[in-house]
Amino acid sequence: MCTRVSRRALCIVWAGLVLTGCRWYGAPKAEPEADLLAVGPDQEALSIPPDYVSAAIDATGGLSTWIQTKEQRFAAVVAIYADDGSFYLTEHDVAVYPWSNAITISSHEPRAKFTWQLVDGQYDVKQGDTRLDVSPRAQAGRDYAGALLQIATTPARLLAPGIVLSPRPAPVRIQGQWYQPIEAKFPTQKVVVTKKGEEQIVALDPYWTQGVYYQNQKSRLVDLVWLGNPAAQRFLLVRGYDYVPVQEDGVLAPTKIELFRTDSQETFGVRLFQVDVKP
């Protein structure tokens, strides 16, 4: 179900879709490929996190709960914004795999069904011809997938191998709330390539080379993440709201997510996506 509409025209439709409440839900029967992604962490390889990371993990359910969380699935109403303020309304089915650093997103659009996937930094359109995508951000699938993965699985991302974290010396105030910024340097990515019939492992710069995790000083949640690649002049902000347990006694995840254009100064720009998790 997809429509390009003005803000006013969408009010009734939007209310009917999202005002009945929001929650994540357990995974239905998985596809064979999903079984390979739905794994736990290598617990022996997990290092002892610094206090601020432990606090962020505890705020969303605790490390033991996250270790048991191999897969999370949800359906969402998604508004994709154009530069003129109008937006395209659709629905996405999302599966995230915290310890595989992976996400799969599917949508049924008027001209085709699309499925795209991001696995450990490697992006792939699994189904559908992107030339048939009529949404205003048709070329932003990789940014969108990466941002959702970051905000939905932040504790696992903070524990990712090779990441270098450095808290800034002073907190900042953002929209009335105090945050502790934690700078991140993301490691190079090792990928397998085939040259002259032989497979070789090469190291590539990550799509996002650096980031800032903003930790709310009151709740200890990391609910705002800045992602950047200054060399490519690529910047994005993603924010989560209204965290609830995915399942009873499960990890906490946001029921609303917004993506914003930003810059090297980490300022909020125009809104690009709004994601409301369906009940």
Side-chain angles (χ1 to χ4, degrees), residues 15 73 97 142 162:
R73 288 177 176 255
Y97 308 92
R142 202 251 179 258

Side-chain angles (χ1 to χ4, degrees), residues 11 64 68 75 87 92 100 111 143 155 218:
C11 289
S64 61
Q68 297 172 34
F87 55 89
H92 288 170
S100 293
R111 301 173 66 186
D143 291 0
K218 183 177 180 180

Side-chain angles (χ1 to χ4, degrees), residues 37 97-103 117-123 142 149 157 160-161 187-191 204-207:
L37 297 173
Y97 308 92
W99 303 107
S100 293
N101 191 21
I103 183 171
Q117 188 176 71
L118 183 66
V119 180
D120 202 21
Q122 301 303 302
Y123 179 69
R142 202 251 179 258
L149 180 60
R157 306 284 65 76
T188 57
Q189 298 171 340
K190 294 181 179 180
V191 299
L204 301 176
D205 288 335
Y207 187 82

Side-chain angles (χ1 to χ4, degrees), residues 172-190:
V172 295
R173 192 171 185 177
I174 301 174
Q175 298 179 357
Q177 300 187 67
W178 286 98
Y179 285 85
Q180 175 61 55
I182 304 166
E183 294 183 352
K185 299 293 184 182
F186 300 122
T188 57
Q189 298 171 340
K190 294 181 179 180

